Each structure stands twice: as C-alpha cells, then as structure tokens.
Amino acid sequence: IYRQLAMKIRSPKYHRKKDNAGESGGAVSSNIPSNKKRFKSVRGVLKAIKKKTRRSKPTDIVPRDLPTPPSSIPAIKSSDLPRYLGSIPHCSANKSISKIVKENGYKTMPPPVSAKGADAGTQHTQSTVEKSENAQATSSLSKQPHQETSTFDISSGPSPRPTVPHHCRMSGGNRKKLGGNQNPHGEDPSVTRMYHLIPELETTKLPRGGISVDTEAVGRVQFGIPPETIKDSMCMGIDVPLFYIVPVERFCREMGPALGVNLAEFEFPAYFNFFIQRKRCTLIVDSDDAERNIRRVFGETLLGPAQFRREENSISFEEEDFAPDFSREAIPDFRKELKHFRVGPDGNELIIETLLNFTHFERPADTRGHYHLGVPPHDKGESDDAGGDDGTVDMKANVSIFSRVRLCEVAVLYPPAASQAEISARTCKRVEIFKMPGGAEYVVHDINENNVIVGKGKFSGNLRVSASMGVHGFGDMNEEELNRGIVRKSYRRSSTDSSSIPRSVVPPTFHPPSFGVTVLGNSHGFDKSGSVSGYVLWINGRGVMIDPPPYSSATLEREGIRPRTIVGIILTHCHADHDAGAFQKVLTGSPVVVITTPTIYKSFIRKYAALSALSPALLRHSHRHKPAIIGKPLRFQGATFHFTYTLHSIPCVGFRVEWRGRSMVFTGDHLNSPKIISELEENGVLSAARAQDLRNLPLQDCDLLLHEAGVPPLHTPLEVLMALPKRVRDRLYVVHTTPKLLEGCDLRVAPTGTAGTIRLDEKEPSAPSRRTRMPSTLFEGMSYDDEVMFQSLWMSNEYDTYNEGNSMLDANNPSSGKA
C-alpha cells in the first residue's frame, strides 16, 4: 500500500484530476495545482500509512529503514515533502510537516546504536518528534516558545544529538500501561515500573523551616535556609549539610509571626562548614542575579564595607561617624583593623570563594531536554509487588515526573573529592536536582557511578515557617537567678488560667520596668541549646530592642507585650545573628527608629536590599534612622547614650546608657584581650588612644555590665573575664556564649525571658547625676525624679540633645534676660 500511495502522490495526473474536479457542481478549476489540495493529499497519505500500521501492529510506528521500492516507483524522500508543502501561505515547510506529524501522533524510530556509542554506554539515539499530548505538556512546562529543530525525516540517518536512553523509549506500537490501561505519556512500561521501584530518599522536615534530603552521593542537601537552621540539624542528630538550595522567594511573605523572615540566611552555614568542619559550602542558585546579590551580601558581612578594603581610593574611616571634637587619635583605622581579621593564620587573606561555592540551575539546550541524565535501572523481568491493588502502576504519577524533569532546569552536585576527569566523564556519584517551572516543586535524583538512579525524592518549593516559632528557650531561667538582688520574678500566668483563652488575646501580664533589660537570647550561632543573643532595653516603660533575634516580636507578643511598646532598635553590626530580627522588625509591626552609626546603617541597607530585591529607598522609607555619632551623646526616650566602636571583624558598636543616675554598659561583639590589643598596637594596627579606649570599655563604673564572650580571634576569651577585678565581676553578666562553658567559675549568665528581667530602676543611683538643670522656676519644689520625667515629656523633640543656655523655657524665664 505504501508503494501504491507513493506512486499516486508522485503522479501529475493525480493532481490534475483532483484540481479539475472542482469543489462544487463539477466546476473545472485552473490547471495549476492547488496548494491546499496538495496538502490534503499528503495528509491523506500519512493517515493511510497510520491506519495500515495500526492494523499490522509493527514494532515501530514509522519504520526508519523503509523497503527499497522498484526503480520504476520512486520512494518518498524527506527532500520531496517541502516541495509539496513549502508553498502553503503563512506556513513554512518545517512547521507544516511538524503540524502533520503532531496531529497524527507520529514518533520517529531511532537509528541503531553505533558500536562506539554502545561501548561508551552513555551515547543513545534521539527521537525528534514526540506524541502530540507529550509535546503539549512539554510546552506548558518549559514556558518557552515551542521550537521545532528538525523535519519529519523518514530517511535513514543518525539523529544529531542524543537525549533519552534507548531502554527508556517506547518500543511497542500499542503503548499500553501495565495492567491494561493506555500510557498517555509515551514511555516504556518497563521504565515506568523500574522508576516506580526506585526507593524514596530520606527526607527530614526541619522545625524552623526547610527540607533536608539525605543522599548517598553528596550527603545531606537542604532546601531553604531560615535563620539558625544549622541548630535544627544538630538537635536532630543529622549532619549539617554542605549543599543548600536557595529558594526562588528568599523572604517569607505570609502573614503571621514569620512575615519578613530571611529564607536565605547562608552566613552561619558557611561559617560552620569552614571554621568548624574545614569544608566549603555550596549554594545552588537559580540565576546570575541571585549569585551576584549573595556575593554582595557576603562581602559586607565577611569582609566589611567596600570603602575600607578596596585597592584604590580606600579610606580609614567615615567622617560622618564621629563628632567634630572627637579625638582624631582615638578614631579607628578600619582599613587596618578589618584586614587584620581577614588574614588567616597561614597568611592568606579570606575571600568569598574561600567559604562559598556556587552551582546554577541550567536550562535545557533545546525543547528535547537535557542530555546525559541519570536513568532508572534496567528491567530484568523480575516481578515485584510495586503496583496497586490491581497490580498496576500509577503511570500518571510516575512517568509524568520522569518525563517532565528532562525539560526542567537541573543542577548537578558532585562529591567534594571527585576529580575533574571523573566529573567530565560522569563516572562518579552525583545528585541531580530538577526545579519545576517557577520553583513550585523540586525533584532529586541520587545517581551512582553507573549513571543509574538509586534514590529519588520530591518536595514542594513553597517554604513554610511554623507560626509557633519563637526565641528558643525564652522564659527558661535558673531558680538561683530569680533569687538574686536585682532580678525580680514577675507574675506568670498558670497554664490553667489561659487554657481556654487564645494567646493572641491574653491580657498583658508583664509590666516593663522604668529602666531595665530583658534578655531574649543569650547564646551564639553555633550553640544548639539556645537562641542567638538579643535584648530589650526598657526606658520609661518603652522598649528599645538591641540586636533582636528572629521571631522576637512574636515571642514578646505572646508574653503580652504589644508591638507598639517597642519604639526603637539598636543595631550593633551586620552579622546575621545580630541583624536578622532587626530586618524583620522594620518590615513588620509598628514604625520604629533604627539607632546605629551611618556606616553600619548603610551596610545594613545594602545587605538587605540585595537579599530582598527591594530598592534601598523603599527600605529606608519603612523606618526612621537616628544616627549614633561617636563622641556625641544621644538622648532617646529620656535616657542618654554614648556609643563607641569595638574591636571586631566588621564595624561594630557598643554603648553606655544612663537614666536618672543608673547606668548600663553593653560591649557588643568585642575582642577584649589585653594581649592581642597590645600586639596590634605594636604592629601599628591600633593607635595608643584607640587601644586605651578598648581596654577601658569593660572597666567603666556602672550598675550593670553585659559583656560578650566566645572564641578568639573574634570574641573575648572567658579567661580574660575571669581575670577582671572583683568589683567588675560583681556587676557582670556574660552574654553571647554557651552557658555550659561557665560551669565551675564565678561568672554569671544573664537570665532570659520576661520573668528574668533585670530591673535597674529598683536600685539606688550609684553615680551622681550628670543632668543639666533648666533655669526655670517651673520645677521648683519638684523631686528630682519627677523633674526628669516632666522634662522628658515636655521636650518637643526627644532626639535633640539639650544644651544649657538654649532652653525652650528661656524666653519665659525672667532670670534669663530674654523675657
């Protein structure tokens, strides 16, 4: 039938008869053959071939090696079809042929595998035209214009590029599903069954958010990086991953306590893997912009602001950070100090590539999908009870995934020990991660050395953070701390009092002090038993958060503290364990004032503008910035602050705050080691005045000293704090450290939670007042405390420093001569 139809379509008499017949009434048309009727003739030939092949049930739908017809009957060649179809208006030959093939459901048969390809074991043949339904699914998944790259070639010849392995193609004409149902995706039922039999990878849902997948090739692979995520792995007894998938949406946008949480906090996973495990962390990103933004962020947090480390036109400090009358000799040289922390013990300077490696999701080269992907195991004909109750396999749930991933973006992960030769030859274990369009879903294949999939996993790309998340260990405190002098136990409701009342509507049970501190978290980023350090400084019943931890606002609200009670944030520096909660606070809740130096504030805006893809102007509009100027007192909410720069790897501030004769000193992250400070002074990194200021920071007279401790060279060793004079240790609380390290010594850990609030307003003033009295008779007869409170309420702008002789009351004061 093929030869008869071929002879008919090649015969000029056939077209002349059809053209002369006319479409109606036997009218005779032009002698010029009609393009439309030629198209119908060709399609009719193909339909006839399809009908004939279905009757005979051949092994292939369209044979590649056609029988050679007699010399008197020429065969149809691929070059002849465009001659009949190429002149159709608004339709190219290639497009017309593709349309015909799609409408009739054809799929070309691959040529025999060459000996060379068979020896390689990885070179397979490629089918160029898929079933129409599969092609439509491909187009919708890839979200790219469908482009046909080949014509309907029925001549023999190898396909130019290999894609699908030979044993993964459909080899039968019926394409029946196991159990008797039709396979709508055009896959070999044996491939479907073997893919279904691949074991599922162990998937762990982390409490703070994210998914950890255990693979044989590279170990743990984690999707999503919420704050303090490495503590989840340590608490659950699983390995901290080396590989992290950065979500498409890098910030939580769902309403609730997690709104504004950073879902791509990669700093501490990188620090932990480098400084603890001596390994380099790998981030899997979806675009070049994502990598560029992460590099910009890591440059700010690891290396410091660019103006202090660039090779040309670098500066030592920013003039706007210091008061005009501040001693020039005491100003820090950030260019030298930051470089000291960047240089390691081996003399090499840290760069971003020292800690981070980047892998990208790659798009397929064309509409035929990726090449050299892992394949399911070969079907050995063994029976297995892998199907349903009727012995069938869910073809739609399994084959559709295996078919679709070839057309999705893929990232390939190799073990750190794999050589470049093994990676190029793909003879080592690897993990293939497929990102579905839009990042809605991810599929993971664990592949062995033989290019066979040994494990598979699938998880949603919508990263959710639990609404019950809060500051870890908040409210837990030692009974011994409750009995200390300045720590008073507040009323705490019992579980029976509020069992029937939602926490969101429970009336306030905590009454803030007029001057005191509530410790939200008292640990560091590597301690699995506690939350990162954060505090609330209470001034006249209002709260100023100091480096708030993530979820701290929701935690306080569950304690009955309303968001509008918090009016400000003091940001000491831009490490993730100190500024993650600050960014969440400025984006959510009531407007707040951010207090920090101009240098730190600009670094904060640059960092989170890059992470959130929000414009810097929009971020600045979400809050107010009150510059903290070194050498100039800052008055806020009736208290006076004195800020200073500490010794850290990036610009960091500490401060002293005074209120009605009471005072507190907060060191921030600070390397308080007299030995190291002296060495830096000898090497010219620190000036004599700068070194002396650093030594005197913890020795100031105050009622409360919150001093950080940790592991040098970034933090203060405990031995230094234990060697402080007894008068200093009596008012010292150690923060930013693991409480277990203080066992066996006389140092105290600051109590956490509202129940352990340190109330300084209940102590007698230990220092004489530094206030400046207003020259007015309005306050005659008032007590000192009442006068200070009245002045705080009277001032029209509490951010302006009051200067004697420039009082707003001088105009009405007869003694001032200005009445």
Side-chain angles (χ1 to χ4, degrees):
I1 188 172
Y2 174 81
R3 287 195 293 269
Q4 292 176 3
L5 290 172
M7 183 174 62
K8 181 179 291 188
I9 194 173
R10 299 276 296 181
S11 173
K13 295 181 180 180
Y14 175 81
H15 294 289
R16 190 177 302 114
K17 179 191 289 187
K18 297 289 290 183
D19 295 337
N20 293 338
E23 296 184 0
S24 64
V28 179
S29 61
S30 172
N31 293 329
I32 300 176
S34 169
N35 290 330
K36 185 176 181 180
K37 292 175 182 178
R38 284 183 181 176
F39 173 79
K40 288 183 177 180
S41 301
V42 174
R43 192 166 73 175
V45 172
L46 296 176
K47 283 185 176 181
I49 296 175
K50 179 180 178 181
K51 185 176 181 181
K52 179 62 179 177
T53 54
R54 284 182 176 177
R55 291 176 182 173
S56 59
K57 296 184 179 180
T59 56
D60 305 300
I61 297 176
V62 179
R64 296 282 287 186
D65 298 327
L66 297 173
T68 305
S71 58
S72 59
I73 304 177
I76 298 179
K77 299 180 180 180
S78 60
S79 59
D80 294 333
L81 288 176
R83 185 161 60 89
Y84 290 97
L85 305 176
S87 59
I88 298 176
H90 310 292
C91 187
S92 64
N94 291 351
K95 186 174 181 180
S96 301
I97 297 168
S98 302
K99 183 176 180 181
I100 295 171
V101 174
K102 285 183 181 180
E103 290 181 354
N104 292 274
Y106 280 99
K107 179 178 179 181
T108 58
M109 176 64 186
V113 181
S114 62
K116 181 179 180 180
D119 294 338
T122 56
Q123 299 294 331
H124 301 285
T125 55
Q126 166 66 31
S127 61
T128 57
V129 184
E130 297 288 346
K131 185 97 171 149
S132 59
E133 182 178 351
N134 195 21
Q136 292 174 3
T138 296
S139 178
S140 63
L141 284 172
S142 60
K143 292 186 178 180
Q144 297 178 353
H146 189 73
Q147 299 178 355
E148 290 293 339
T149 58
S150 62
T151 63
F152 182 71
D153 186 7
I154 61 176
S155 63
S156 61
S159 179
R161 302 182 69 176
T163 56
V164 186
H166 184 70
H167 79 277
C168 295
R169 293 196 188 93
M170 184 63 182
S171 60
N174 293 327
R175 303 181 181 181
K176 295 294 183 178
K177 175 183 174 181
L178 292 179
N181 297 328
Q182 185 177 357
N183 180 357
H185 298 279
E187 293 288 349
D188 192 332
S190 62
V191 176
T192 303
R193 189 170 66 87
M194 297 310 297
Y195 186 78
H196 183 81
L197 295 177
I198 296 175
E200 296 287 338
L201 296 173
E202 178 186 347
T203 302
T204 304
K205 186 176 181 181
L206 303 177
R208 289 178 172 84
I211 300 293
S212 179
V213 182
D214 190 14
T215 65
E216 180 182 344
V218 298
R220 289 276 174 177
V221 178
Q222 180 171 326
F223 168 72
I225 324 174
E228 300 187 277
T229 186
I230 63 174
K231 297 183 179 182
D232 288 340
S233 300
M234 290 189 287
C235 289
M236 300 178 73
I238 60 178
D239 295 335
V240 176
L242 278 175
F243 301 89
Y244 294 86
I245 305 173
V246 179
V248 176
E249 194 66 52
R250 294 191 287 272
F251 274 88
C252 182
R253 301 179 183 271
E254 296 182 358
M255 296 300 297
L259 179 63
V261 170
N262 181 11
L263 302 178
E265 198 287 282
F266 55 86
E267 294 180 39
F268 269 81
Y271 297 151
F272 182 86
N273 280 290
F274 180 75
F275 293 107
I276 305 300
Q277 298 184 347
R278 300 299 178 182
K279 297 179 181 179
R280 187 170 62 165
C281 185
T282 299
L283 300 182
I284 301 99
V285 296
D286 60 344
S287 64
D288 292 335
D289 289 339
E291 178 181 349
R292 187 162 43 250
N293 290 333
I294 290 176
R295 287 181 176 275
R296 187 179 299 116
V297 169
F298 213 42
E300 294 283 344
T301 61
L302 176 67
L303 309 177
Q307 65 266 28
F308 302 137
R309 53 184 171 86
R310 58 194 176 202
E311 296 181 358
E312 297 181 359
N313 301 324
S314 61
I315 59 178
S316 300
F317 60 91
E318 294 280 2
E319 288 285 352
E320 58 182 346
D321 288 350
F322 302 92
D325 56 348
F326 188 76
S327 174
R328 301 288 99 178
E329 296 180 357
I331 294 179
D333 189 339
F334 287 120
R335 180 170 49 190
K336 295 180 180 179
E337 291 184 13
L338 301 188
K339 185 176 181 180
H340 163 74
F341 287 102
R342 290 199 305 268
V343 178
D346 55 355
N348 296 325
E349 186 171 343
L350 286 178
I351 57 177
I352 295 177
E353 288 74 11
T354 307
L355 278 75
L356 283 182
N357 181 38
F358 292 91
T359 298
H360 288 253
F361 283 99
E362 302 291 345
R363 295 181 178 180
D366 50 41
T367 56
R368 293 177 290 181
H370 292 282
Y371 311 104
H372 309 297
L373 298 179
V375 298
H378 289 273
D379 188 3
K380 299 180 180 180
E382 300 176 357
S383 61
D384 201 325
D385 297 334
D389 296 337
D390 56 350
T392 62
V393 175
D394 188 357
M395 184 79 67
K396 185 176 182 180
N398 292 281
V399 178
S400 58
I401 296 176
F402 184 64
S403 302
R404 286 182 297 165
V405 294
R406 298 198 302 265
L407 302 149
C408 298
E409 300 180 16
V410 61
V412 184
L413 308 179
Y414 297 95
S419 64
Q420 189 60 40
E422 292 176 334
I423 294 176
S424 301
R426 294 184 179 251
T427 57
C428 62
K429 297 179 180 180
R430 68 183 188 273
V431 171
E432 294 174 348
I433 304 174
F434 301 91
K435 180 170 73 72
M436 295 302 181
E441 197 174 51
Y442 292 83
V443 176
V444 179
H445 287 171
D446 193 7
I447 303 170
N448 63 9
E449 302 90 339
N450 300 322
N451 200 42
V452 176
I453 304 174
V454 296
K456 67 179 187 296
K458 182 177 67 172
F459 51 85
S460 172
N462 184 17
L463 183 59
R464 292 182 177 271
V465 179
S466 175
S468 61
M469 282 303 302
V471 178
H472 182 70
F474 189 80
D476 298 337
M477 59 180 302
N478 195 321
E479 194 67 28
E480 180 183 354
E481 297 293 343
L482 292 174
N483 298 327
R484 293 190 180 272
I486 61 176
V487 179
R488 182 168 64 88
K489 184 175 182 179
S490 303
Y491 169 74
R492 298 297 299 270
R493 60 180 178 271
S494 63
S495 58
T496 58
D497 294 338
S498 59
S499 59
S500 60
I501 305 177
R503 296 189 68 103
S504 58
V505 297
V506 169
T509 58
F510 169 73
H511 301 284
S514 297
F515 187 61
V517 178
T518 297
V519 179
L520 301 177
N522 197 24
S523 188
H524 53 78
F526 298 151
D527 180 21
K528 65 179 181 179
S529 61
S531 197
V532 294
S533 59
Y535 321 87
V536 179
L537 174 64
W538 301 104
I539 307 174
N540 293 325
R542 297 292 181 178
V544 179
M545 304 184 83
I546 306 171
D547 293 344
Y551 323 108
S552 55
S553 298
T555 302
L556 291 177
E557 190 170 0
R558 285 194 286 266
E559 293 290 322
I561 302 174
R562 297 295 180 255
R564 290 190 176 275
T565 308
I566 307 299
V567 296
I569 295 175
I570 296 178
L571 181 63
T572 62
H573 63 294
C574 290
H575 279 159
D577 57 332
H578 293 265
D579 66 356
F583 181 73
Q584 183 185 10
K585 180 62 179 177
V586 300
L587 288 185
T588 60
S590 57
V592 294
V593 176
V594 176
I595 303 175
T596 190
T597 63
T599 295
I600 298 176
Y601 179 73
K602 292 178 182 178
S603 181
F604 174 75
I605 293 296
R606 287 193 299 265
K607 173 181 177 179
Y608 282 97
L611 275 177
S612 63
L614 299 175
S615 65
L618 180 61
L619 291 181
R620 293 189 185 98
H621 187 70
S622 64
H623 58 277
R624 290 187 297 163
H625 173 224
K626 180 63 180 175
I629 307 301
I630 310 299
K632 180 179 179 180
L634 183 146
R635 188 173 177 83
F636 185 73
Q637 290 292 319
T640 304
F641 293 83
H642 304 269
F643 287 88
T644 184
Y645 273 118
T646 62
L647 185 60
H648 201 46
S649 59
I650 61 175
C652 177
V653 294
F655 61 88
R656 174 190 178 93
V657 56
E658 301 170 349
W659 180 86
R660 301 190 189 182
R662 292 90 166 175
S663 60
M664 183 193 79
V665 173
F666 179 76
T667 62
D669 281 12
H670 173 46
L671 176 57
N672 179 21
S673 175
K675 179 181 178 181
I676 297 178
I677 292 176
S678 300
E679 292 177 356
L680 294 177
E681 182 181 2
E682 294 175 0
N683 296 333
V685 177
L686 302 177
S687 62
R690 167 72 168 159
Q692 189 60 33
D693 284 349
L694 294 176
R695 295 188 187 98
N696 293 335
L697 179 61
L699 303 178
Q700 304 178 59
D701 290 332
C702 59
D703 297 301
L704 176 64
L705 172 62
L706 296 180
H707 201 302
E708 67 92 56
V711 180
L714 297 180
H715 301 284
T716 303
L718 284 176
E719 295 77 9
V720 174
L721 300 183
M722 295 174 62
L724 291 174
K726 187 177 185 304
R727 63 177 181 85
V728 177
R729 297 199 308 270
D730 289 342
R731 58 176 180 262
L732 168 66
Y733 279 96
V734 181
V735 296
H736 200 276
T737 190
T738 304
K740 293 182 179 180
L741 297 179
L742 302 181
E743 296 178 356
C745 63
D746 58 349
L747 298 177
R748 297 176 296 173
V749 179
T752 59
T754 55
T757 298
I758 303 174
R759 298 177 177 266
L760 297 176
D761 55 348
E762 299 179 355
K763 291 179 61 66
E764 292 296 328
S766 59
S769 172
R770 299 185 182 182
R771 67 191 179 101
T772 302
R773 296 185 62 89
M774 290 185 177
S776 173
T777 59
L778 182 65
F779 305 112
E780 291 182 359
M782 286 188 179
S783 65
Y784 168 64
D785 290 346
D786 292 339
E787 180 180 341
V788 172
M789 176 64 71
F790 188 85
Q791 291 186 30
S792 177
L793 298 175
W794 181 273
M795 295 177 64
S796 60
N797 185 359
E798 63 183 357
Y799 307 113
D800 294 337
T801 304
Y802 170 74
N803 296 321
E804 186 176 6
N806 190 27
S807 171
M808 66 182 72
L809 301 179
D810 282 346
N812 298 323
N813 186 8
S815 61
S816 65
K818 299 180 181 180

